[in-house]
């Protein structure tokens, strides 16, 4: 996990009145984004990811470039990475990344680097072009309370949008694996995880600004789309059938939280067993998902 820093030498030049465009350290490079970290060797290609990571459109393909200027003017630990923001898409690519202690998971593992290159070439960067709504708050207790209520829901919204995006990705890969995939369904699922990627940004930024759409309402809309609602029919009694959701990939059998308490009190064992049974029925072994590996 490397804390990221945008164009430090360009900032240093600017701070002393020199032209930041004369920065010789990090340059625009076709097909990747230049970076510098002593964690990896000079010239290595790297894969980089930042949360919320919602789609292959968010994967970064980095090229580590040493420079005498970095070593002369900065004391970088192995946990710092400078990235080039000048004429690159790194901030949009990393889902609205800025530099107030944001960090990336970075690796030189050859399989992941190979996949990062493929993602960077084949999955366009998602750009949040939504307008702010211009809403302002006054310095009153009522407005402070309204802001606090809004911000308290943001953490849930980030997780909600990201989890839903991962399900859309799972359904997308499953459809792609078919002999004759439904092109309309693929497009709808692709649109879903692209939109959800932007919604995660909206909700994160909700502490600083609000936008022209309601992020949580849009998440609800997507969650109710037919392509996001996988079901199956099961027999519950002799001759009686019931339609239930079967929308979870196999790995969720082990990661999905099953409530054991409610309102601070322990639930009866039969209720917990019923909840476990409901989860098992929602697992769909046919869904293709890398997390299953």
């Amino acid at each position: 996990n490397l804390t990221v820093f945008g164009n430090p030498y360009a900032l240093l030049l600017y701070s002393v009145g020199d032209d930041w465009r004369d920065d010789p350290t990090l340059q625009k490079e076709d097909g990747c984004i230049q970076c510098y970290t002593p964690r990896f060797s000079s010239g290595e290609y790297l894969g980089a990811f930042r949360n919320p990571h919602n789609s292959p459109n968010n994967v970064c393909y980095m090229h580590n470039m040493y420079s005498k200027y970095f070593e002369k003017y900065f004391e970088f630990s192995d946990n710092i990475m400078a990235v080039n923001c000048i004429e690159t898409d790194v901030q949009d690519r990393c889902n609205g990344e800025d530099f107030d202690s944001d960090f990336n998971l970075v690796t030189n593992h050859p399989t992941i680097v190979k996949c990062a290159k493929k993602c960077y070439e084949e999955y366009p960067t998602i750009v949040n072009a939504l307008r702010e709504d211009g809403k302002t708050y006054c310095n009153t207790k009522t407005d402070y309370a309204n802001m606090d209520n809004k911000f308290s829901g943001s953490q849930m919204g980030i997780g909600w949008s990201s989890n839903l995006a991962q399900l859309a990705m799972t359904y997308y890969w499953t459809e792609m694996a078919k002999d004759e995939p439904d092109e309309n369904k693929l497009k709808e699922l692709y649109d879903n995880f692209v939109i959800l990627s932007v919604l995660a940004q909206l909700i994160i930024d909700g502490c600083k600004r609000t936008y022209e759409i309601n992020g949580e309402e849009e998440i609800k809309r997507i969650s109710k789309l037919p392509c996001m609602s996988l079901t199956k029919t099961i027999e519950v009694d002799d001759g009686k059938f019931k339609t239930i959701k079967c929308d979870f990939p196999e790995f969720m059998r082990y990661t999905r939280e099953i409530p054991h308490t409610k309102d601070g009190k322990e639930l009866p064992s039969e209720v917990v067993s019923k909840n476990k049974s409901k989860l098992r029925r929602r697992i769909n072994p046919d869904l293709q998902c890398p997390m299953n590996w």
Side-chain angles (χ1 to χ4, degrees), residues 147-193:
M147 283 189 286
D148 193 51
N149 284 335
K150 178 179 173 59
F151 301 159
S152 66
S154 65
Q155 197 65 35
M156 183 188 76
I158 296 166
W160 189 12
S161 63
S162 296
N163 289 343
L164 197 60
Q166 293 312 302
L167 287 176
M169 284 293 323
T170 296
Y171 307 153
Y172 180 83
W173 296 129
T174 302
E175 190 66 28
M176 284 279 282
K178 294 180 179 178
D179 292 335
E180 296 183 8
D182 183 331
E183 293 299 328
N184 290 328
K185 187 174 182 180
L186 283 176
K187 184 182 184 307
E188 191 172 16
L189 290 166
Y190 187 97
D191 288 346
N192 284 350
F193 61 72

Side-chain angles (χ1 to χ4, degrees), residues 32 40 50 63 106 127 161-162 190 205 216:
C32 64
F40 299 103
R50 171 182 173 260
H63 191 192
V106 185
V127 177
S161 63
S162 296
Y190 187 97
D205 286 348
E216 292 188 7

Side-chain angles (χ1 to χ4, degrees), residues 81-267:
M81 179 172 71
V83 296
N84 181 30
C85 301
I86 300 171
E87 296 188 79
T88 75
D89 56 358
V90 65
Q91 291 181 280
D92 285 315
R93 190 80 184 175
C94 286
N95 226 343
E97 178 173 80
D98 52 26
F99 306 109
D100 54 1
S101 76
D102 287 13
F103 62 86
N104 293 173
L105 183 144
V106 185
T107 179
N108 61 354
H109 189 287
T111 302
I112 296 181
V113 172
K114 180 181 176 182
C115 289
K117 183 177 187 292
K118 181 181 174 68
C119 287
Y120 200 68
E121 291 172 347
E122 297 182 8
Y123 291 86
T125 298
I126 301 161
V127 177
N128 173 15
L130 291 171
R131 295 187 300 269
E132 295 179 39
D133 68 359
K135 182 177 177 61
T136 58
Y137 292 97
C138 298
N139 188 13
T140 65
K141 289 185 178 180
T142 300
D143 273 7
Y144 274 123
N146 289 335
M147 283 189 286
D148 193 51
N149 284 335
K150 178 179 173 59
F151 301 159
S152 66
S154 65
Q155 197 65 35
M156 183 188 76
I158 296 166
W160 189 12
S161 63
S162 296
N163 289 343
L164 197 60
Q166 293 312 302
L167 287 176
M169 284 293 323
T170 296
Y171 307 153
Y172 180 83
W173 296 129
T174 302
E175 190 66 28
M176 284 279 282
K178 294 180 179 178
D179 292 335
E180 296 183 8
D182 183 331
E183 293 299 328
N184 290 328
K185 187 174 182 180
L186 283 176
K187 184 182 184 307
E188 191 172 16
L189 290 166
Y190 187 97
D191 288 346
N192 284 350
F193 61 72
V194 167
I195 292 168
L196 288 162
S197 185
V198 173
L199 292 176
Q201 291 183 43
L202 262 60
I203 294 166
I204 292 168
D205 286 348
C207 295
K208 296 174 280 189
R209 60 184 73 88
T210 53
Y211 289 89
E212 59 190 345
I213 68 166
N214 183 312
E216 292 188 7
E217 289 301 315
E218 185 68 4
I219 294 170
K220 289 178 185 177
R221 180 191 71 80
I222 292 173
S223 69
K224 294 174 182 176
L225 291 173
C227 67
M228 298 296 294
S229 303
L230 304 188
T231 59
K232 65 180 176 182
T233 301
I234 61 170
E235 187 172 1
V236 288
D237 288 312
D238 287 342
K240 292 185 179 180
F241 296 87
K242 181 181 180 182
T243 299
I244 62 168
K245 287 186 174 181
C246 58
D247 52 349
F248 290 163
E250 181 68 31
F251 81 91
M252 284 192 177
R253 184 190 303 275
Y254 309 102
T255 63
R256 194 78 179 179
E257 188 174 337
I258 298 169
H260 285 72
T261 61
K262 185 176 182 180
D263 300 328
K265 296 180 181 178
E266 195 165 323
L267 290 170

